[in-house]
Amino acid sequence: MGHYREAFDRARDDREEFWLAAADAVDWISPPTRALDDSAAPFYRWFPDGTLNTSYNALDRHVAAGAGDRTAMVWDSAMVGTVRSYTYAELLDEVSRFAGVLSANGVAAGDRVVIYLPMIPEAAIAMLACARVGAVHSVVFGGFAARELATRIDDAEPVAIVTASGGLEPGRAVEYLPIIAKALDLAASPPSTVIVKNRPEITGDASDHDGWLDWDDLMSAASPVGPTPVAATDPLYILYTSGTTGKPKGVVRDNGGHAVALTWSMPNIYDIRAGDVWWTASDVGWVVGHSYIVYGPLLAGATTVMYEGKPVGTPDAGAFWRVIADHGVNALFTAPTAIRAIRKADPEATELAKYDTSTLRTLFAAGERLDPDTFEWASATLGVPVVDHWWQTETGWAIAANLRGLEPMPIKAGSPTVPVPGYRVGVVDAEGAALGAGEEGSIVIELPLPPGTLTGLWRDEERFVKSYLSAFSGYYLTGDSGYLDDDGYVFVLGRSDDVINVAGHRLSTGSIEAVVAAHPAVAECAVIGIHDDLKGQRPSGYVVLKAGADIDPDTLREELVAMVRNEIGAVATFRDVTVVAALPKTRSGKILRKTMRQIADHEEYAVPSTIEDPDVLADLAKQLGG
Ligand code: COA
Ligand code: AMP
């Protein structure tokens, strides 16, 4: 562990020197003289006296260095059968002009812009254009329904929304404009500017709505604008993610720490450098898409592939292998669910033989645990290292990884390998006492977190402290449980809160419960995440009916599924509803979700000593066959 150990120790012991050296790889308008400002701990700020522009670092600097003809982005849509490439010079032109559109429509530095776009190039262009004018983007995943969008609008208070006529899912078009209209209706203070990219495949365009603006019209008349200098500590984006309550958390990312961390991560973690072809098969609506479809690869001067489609069914289980072959992809980053979906459809990988995937050097996986079975299959099938790494929306980049560029390490199935330099990972028990190797507990990270991690929650300092910093003083609570082994390898076993992970998508059981509880026949309910062979987990609802409620279980299920789809969105994939006589609770009234999950998953469980009525648990176990 030579290079790794040295880097890890330097990041811990010579923090200033380590991160200022990493900051040298970024082009600053005024370079930072200090790495960390810890004067207001536990609120930390990175590179407090630096100024820069993130879009300049992602685009202009490569053009200025003579790489304007290098391909910056390849858009490959399996949904419409189109491939479109942008050189760095072309992408810079698009971004500068859309930045001009934003400025002309009153978007200024510090203003928020909500981006609700499918996987089309305009998503990356809009994000980078916000960065160019110093505005703060907040991208909302297209699988969320109007109410979720409205909640985010109300929290971020954007001055503009950038959207498209819709997204394409296999077999159906998702029309965005009715969703936008409804969200604007629901929002307390809706923005006045709505910009719509018209997609000819999908019904609806700006002209259907009073005052909405057409992307193409605006772009044809736009004047390009240059990068606005911002402080390293100024926010680049807000990304909402699920917490334990129904209200999403607005994770705030800065400009300087983010640029430094992602620039460092590309060669050191992913072994990707200028000119390499990199593909992250995720969605711009998730943190993985922010960091590694858009910012990371462009900061590194690599070519990023943006893919609109699924791993299977668009048209078949060879879709990923085709994209690798067509674009000469050197490394692919995706979620384990995608690999499981391919394996399920094509267990012998017969599709793989049809394509030349010899450019592929590494497959990276994150978003959920890479189970050993899927790891073995992918390794044997692809014949390249399959590398798990662990991170969260909050951290923005990997907490634990096998650092392929710095020093590749032996891979252990089921482990994302070791803490990344800058992250001092520990495991503690309920009282905060450090646990030894092999002992399972809460995974925590010693403060300060490295650059690139969240600087707070949008306008909610109290929740930031309560959610992450107050459980164990001096530590950030990841919300994951797991252990470290004798070699210092991290093993992440799952969330220790009410957040669940469905197909690599992070969802809150609390928000699904809030919808289910609103049904007139439901007295109370619990939603838990149970094991799913394909998606890792899926939400499963248990409802107690109101006395005298007269509704048959199938009708109830249909109504609840429709309500969740309507209120949260298709991405919630809520399908299981079980009517039970009562919910098991502690004497203080807390629902025993963990025990319920163990019963539903047919795992061993212990009857908690605090249980209110043991018979309720016994009845549930009988009903669920546990
Ligand atoms: N816009 C609108 N609807 C969307 C959507 C989007 N961007 N993304 C997903 N949905 C819909 C799907 O169409 C589906 O709707 P349905 O209930 O009508 O079928 C529903 O949300 C659930 O989607 P999903 O859980 O993704 O299931 P799926 O059956 O469509 O696809 C996989 C299964 C495994 C192919 C898919 O989940 C996948 O590719 N996962 C990879 C995970 C990933 O990229 N994670 C990102 C974090 S790294
Ligand atoms: P998100 O914020 O959507 O990226 O989800 C973060 C959560 O996903 C983490 O807290 C983990 O529970 C889970 N997760 C992400 N990557 C991994 C991984 N490699 N192994 C295990 N769990 C993971």
Side-chain angles (χ1 to χ4, degrees):
M1 289 198 186
H3 292 299
Y4 164 70
R5 177 49 57 198
E6 193 218 351
F8 186 88
D9 289 351
R10 274 200 301 124
R12 183 191 54 205
D13 304 331
D14 299 308
R15 190 187 297 133
E16 285 289 308
E17 181 253 77
F18 183 88
W19 287 115
L20 282 174
D24 277 346
V26 165
D27 255 8
W28 299 88
I29 296 164
S30 57
T33 58
R34 286 190 304 153
L36 182 69
D37 174 4
D38 58 3
S39 57
F43 304 100
Y44 298 92
R45 294 291 176 261
W46 285 94
F47 311 110
D49 58 352
T51 58
L52 77 167
N53 182 281
T54 298
S55 95
Y56 178 89
N57 275 278
L59 301 168
D60 309 53
R61 70 177 299 193
H62 306 306
V63 176
D69 291 340
R70 186 188 300 149
T71 306
M73 180 163 73
V74 178
W75 178 60
D76 183 314
S77 173
M79 306 309 293
V80 294
T82 301
V83 173
R84 197 186 307 153
S85 284
Y86 298 81
T87 64
Y88 269 94
E90 287 165 345
L91 192 58
L92 172 60
D93 176 58
E94 296 278 336
V95 169
S96 306
R97 283 190 295 123
F98 195 64
V101 167
L102 291 176
S103 294
N105 283 280
V107 177
D111 286 342
R112 275 80 56 213
V113 175
V114 162
I115 297 175
Y116 188 71
L117 281 169
M119 286 289 285
I120 56 175
E122 286 73 12
I125 293 167
M127 290 164 75
L128 290 159
C130 287
R132 197 163 189 82
V133 300
V136 181
H137 60 69
S138 186
V139 182
V140 179
F141 177 62
F144 283 120
R147 202 195 60 161
E148 291 286 324
L149 181 56
T151 307
R152 287 156 176 79
I153 291 171
D154 280 340
D155 198 66
E157 300 181 317
V159 300
I161 296 192
V162 183
T163 188
S165 44
L168 295 162
E169 287 294 294
R172 74 190 166 104
V174 182
E175 288 177 28
Y176 281 10
L177 300 194
I179 300 174
I180 297 282
K182 190 169 166 199
L184 294 180
D185 258 4
L186 291 169
S189 50
S192 50
T193 304
V194 180
I195 299 174
V196 182
K197 171 69 192 171
N198 183 31
R199 301 188 78 186
E201 304 82 14
I202 302 167
T203 312
D205 63 45
S207 66
D208 303 337
H209 299 263
D210 242 9
W212 291 13
L213 307 168
D214 179 76
W215 173 294
D216 294 321
D217 289 350
L218 294 169
M219 283 291 265
S220 59
S223 314
V225 298
T228 299
V230 297
T233 53
D234 281 343
L236 170 69
Y237 69 76
I238 306 168
L239 179 56
Y240 288 90
T241 190
S242 302
T244 41
T245 68
K247 186 173 183 274
K249 293 167 162 173
V251 166
V252 179
R253 193 88 56 217
D254 64 6
N255 273 276
H258 176 255
V260 171
L262 293 193
T263 302
W264 189 90
S265 75
M266 292 307 297
N268 287 292
I269 297 181
Y270 300 107
D271 197 20
I272 289 292
R273 291 169 178 77
D276 285 338
V277 181
W278 166 263
W279 174 26
T280 298
S282 176
D283 189 286
V284 285
W286 307 113
V287 70
V288 170
H290 280 59
S291 294
Y292 293 113
I293 294 174
V294 182
Y295 289 110
L298 296 177
L299 287 167
T303 297
T304 185
V305 177
M306 176 188 261
Y307 170 70
E308 186 185 41
K310 302 275 172 178
V312 292
T314 58
D316 52 38
F320 274 22
W321 320 139
R322 176 196 59 81
V323 173
I324 293 170
D326 283 357
H327 308 301
V329 170
N330 300 126
L332 165 63
F333 175 176
T334 192
T337 301
I339 308 169
R340 286 195 296 270
I342 295 170
R343 179 187 183 182
K344 190 171 167 215
D346 183 19
E348 304 305 326
T350 49
E351 289 294 333
L352 183 61
K354 298 181 187 165
Y355 302 94
D356 175 3
T357 57
S358 57
T359 53
L360 189 74
R361 300 194 296 251
T362 327
L363 171 64
F364 292 94
E368 53 176 315
R369 179 168 175 265
L370 175 61
D371 59 284
D373 200 30
T374 304
F375 163 78
E376 301 292 355
W377 183 84
S379 305
T381 303
L382 289 169
V384 299
V386 176
V387 178
D388 186 12
H389 59 319
W390 166 59
W391 49 298
Q392 318 180 305
T393 304
E394 289 84 347
T395 65
W397 65 298
I399 308 166
N402 198 315
L403 293 103
R404 305 306 296 173
L406 185 66
E407 183 187 351
M409 288 182 191
I411 294 172
K412 295 189 191 186
S415 167
T417 316
V418 289
V420 168
Y423 290 97
R424 290 162 300 153
V425 175
V427 178
V428 297
D429 68 14
E431 276 70 52
L435 292 171
E439 292 181 311
E440 187 188 337
S442 291
I443 313 184
V444 293
I445 307 169
E446 202 173 320
L447 296 174
L449 297 176
T453 53
L454 80 170
T455 56
L457 294 179
W458 181 249
R459 291 183 178 161
D460 204 344
E461 206 166 86
E462 196 184 318
R463 190 173 183 197
F464 173 55
V465 172
K466 193 160 166 255
S467 308
Y468 304 108
L469 308 179
S470 63
F472 307 110
S473 173
Y475 293 89
Y476 164 87
L477 182 72
T478 64
D480 281 309
S481 65
Y483 63 92
L484 294 165
D485 77 0
D486 287 326
D487 299 321
Y489 276 51
V490 179
F491 285 78
V492 182
L493 299 174
R495 297 287 303 193
S496 47
D497 54 15
D498 297 329
V499 167
I500 60 170
N501 201 310
V502 183
H505 305 147
R506 179 163 155 182
L507 298 170
S508 146
T509 53
S511 67
I512 303 176
E513 273 174 16
V515 176
V516 172
H519 189 284
V522 172
E524 58 175 348
C525 69
V527 175
I528 55 173
I530 64 169
H531 175 80
D532 184 274
D533 280 342
L534 176 64
K535 298 190 178 182
Q537 281 186 306
R538 66 171 190 275
S540 186
Y542 299 83
V543 302
V544 178
L545 295 182
K546 281 184 184 157
D550 185 22
I551 184 163
D552 85 276
D554 285 340
T555 309
L556 176 70
R557 186 180 155 279
E558 270 169 37
E559 289 178 6
L560 290 176
V561 167
M563 281 169 73
V564 172
R565 202 177 165 92
N566 234 336
E567 300 274 298
I568 297 177
V571 68
T573 45
F574 181 72
R575 311 221 199 291
D576 301 356
V577 176
T578 307
V579 176
V580 294
L583 294 171
K585 290 184 187 162
T586 62
R587 283 189 290 274
S588 60
K590 205 165 164 260
I591 297 171
L592 292 164
R593 289 161 211 281
K594 183 171 173 203
T595 319
M596 289 180 71
R597 187 188 57 70
Q598 288 169 322
I599 292 174
D601 283 343
H602 306 296
E603 287 174 9
E604 297 252 325
Y605 67 94
V607 178
S609 56
T610 52
I611 193 158
E612 182 190 37
D613 179 356
D615 289 348
V616 173
L617 210 54
D619 289 347
L620 188 74
K622 209 182 294 160
Q623 185 176 351
L624 302 182

